[in-house]
Amino acid sequence: MPTPKQMEKLASRPSRQPEAPVATPGPADDLPEAYWDSIIRDPRGQIRTGIPIQQRRLSEIPRHVLRVTCRRCDRIVEIQTVDAVRLYGAHAVWKDVGMKLLDDGCREQTGRLEEDGCWPSFETT
Ligand SMILES: [Zn+2]
């Protein structure tokens, strides 16, 4: 039986379990959740129609300049919408175009081939 003093000590402990070891993603793991979050719901990409700008075709984006930034290395690539249309076609989806613009590799290299490359974040300004 624990002594009253030991009981007190036990009671003062946080009720949750001892901290679980932080799982470090291995090479076989999927991309981190944050990566998908950045693609699936980027609040800045939401416009009135509800279609995120990065899922629109170039012809559907009422902007003169398109900008994509990398969440990892903070690289910013801008392209005039007319240039993007000329290079990739009016029906190209901006997400695909943005990925191509960032395609020459990210400055934040993980050393793991499947994760290298920028994490695009699409801005509307
Ligand atoms: Zn990058």
Side-chain angles (χ1 to χ4, degrees):
M1 280 295 287
T3 65
K5 197 160 187 175
Q6 283 171 325
M7 289 292 279
E8 206 177 305
K9 210 170 173 182
L10 284 171
S12 70
R13 278 187 189 173
S15 56
R16 63 190 174 87
Q17 294 294 308
E19 277 183 51
V22 177
T24 45
D29 284 338
D30 287 336
L31 291 167
E33 241 174 80
Y35 175 75
W36 295 113
D37 273 0
S38 76
I39 291 180
I40 295 163
R41 50 180 173 83
D42 183 347
R44 286 166 304 180
Q46 299 287 342
I47 329 181
R48 261 178 301 175
T49 61
I51 303 173
I53 191 169
Q54 66 269 29
Q55 289 174 19
R56 291 170 174 230
R57 298 181 188 286
L58 295 176
S59 59
E60 297 167 347
I61 302 173
R63 300 272 172 182
H64 294 301
V65 176
L66 300 168
R67 182 193 292 172
V68 58
T69 59
C70 173
R71 293 184 167 225
R72 298 169 87 193
C73 66
D74 293 329
R75 200 150 55 110
I76 300 171
V77 180
E78 283 183 339
I79 188 169
Q80 299 236 353
T81 308
V82 286
D83 287 338
V85 168
R86 203 173 53 211
L87 289 168
Y88 301 101
H91 295 295
V93 177
W94 168 221
K95 178 167 74 91
D96 297 334
V97 174
M99 296 284 271
K100 284 198 182 86
L101 293 176
L102 289 172
D103 214 17
D104 54 337
C106 188
R107 274 184 273 159
E108 290 289 323
Q109 297 286 318
T110 62
R112 297 206 298 262
L113 199 62
E114 69 271 27
E115 276 190 20
D116 280 343
C118 288
W119 291 3
S121 172
F122 294 91
E123 292 183 11
T124 57
T125 52

